[in-house]
Amino acid sequence: MNADAEPLFVQVARLVEDLVVDGTLAPGERAPSTNELAAFHEINPATARKGLGLLVDAGILEKRRGLGMFVTPEAREQALKARRERYAGDYLAPVIDEAVRLGYDRATLHALIDRVAESRGMYQ
């Protein structure tokens, strides 16, 4: 967890959401508990609970009384949809803002993006 970044409960939610998106947590599987998350990341259980609550509100997790939190059948699709909606504002806007500050033109920025994408295997 990075205390200098976004609030810890948001980081918890994103971490569990990452597990759903990459398939580590499949639909119907039990998500890590509040206490497991709190102990592993050395955070307050209330912080972990608040993070899991965000995922319940988003329809990614569901509470099963006495059993814990479980991944919903539509969790991955819900998470991907929400991430796609946030993508431009969360990731592209800061890149463009910095490119403008650095004086890059559109062609230079496109070339940089292509070079980085290729180095990550995106064009293979």
Side-chain angles (χ1 to χ4, degrees):
M1 305 265 99
N2 183 356
D4 296 332
E6 56 197 355
L8 289 176
F9 72 94
V10 174
Q11 292 179 55
V12 167
R14 209 166 287 229
L15 177 111
V16 175
E17 185 181 82
D18 285 346
L19 297 174
V20 170
V21 169
D22 72 16
T24 302
L25 281 177
E29 283 192 60
R30 188 180 75 77
S33 72
T34 297
N35 291 333
E36 289 167 343
L37 289 166
F40 184 80
H41 296 290
E42 298 178 346
I43 59 174
N44 187 308
T47 301
R49 187 175 310 108
K50 191 171 180 180
L52 292 176
L54 290 176
L55 298 177
V56 169
D57 293 345
I60 294 169
L61 296 180
E62 62 185 1
K63 294 179 188 179
R64 295 187 189 163
R65 190 168 176 85
L67 298 175
M69 302 273 193
F70 290 80
V71 180
T72 64
E74 64 282 347
R76 186 169 190 278
E77 292 76 24
Q78 294 275 51
L80 287 172
K81 180 179 183 250
R83 285 180 175 211
R84 286 180 180 126
E85 289 171 358
R86 295 188 314 256
Y87 184 77
D90 288 357
Y91 297 100
L92 295 181
V95 169
I96 300 296
D97 291 344
E98 184 65 10
V100 168
R101 284 191 287 275
L102 293 172
Y104 288 156
D105 62 16
R106 182 180 288 221
T108 302
L109 181 58
H110 282 236
L112 286 169
I113 290 170
D114 285 342
R115 191 168 70 219
V116 171
E118 189 173 325
S119 76
R120 301 291 195 276
M122 190 170 186
Y123 297 135
Q124 294 178 359

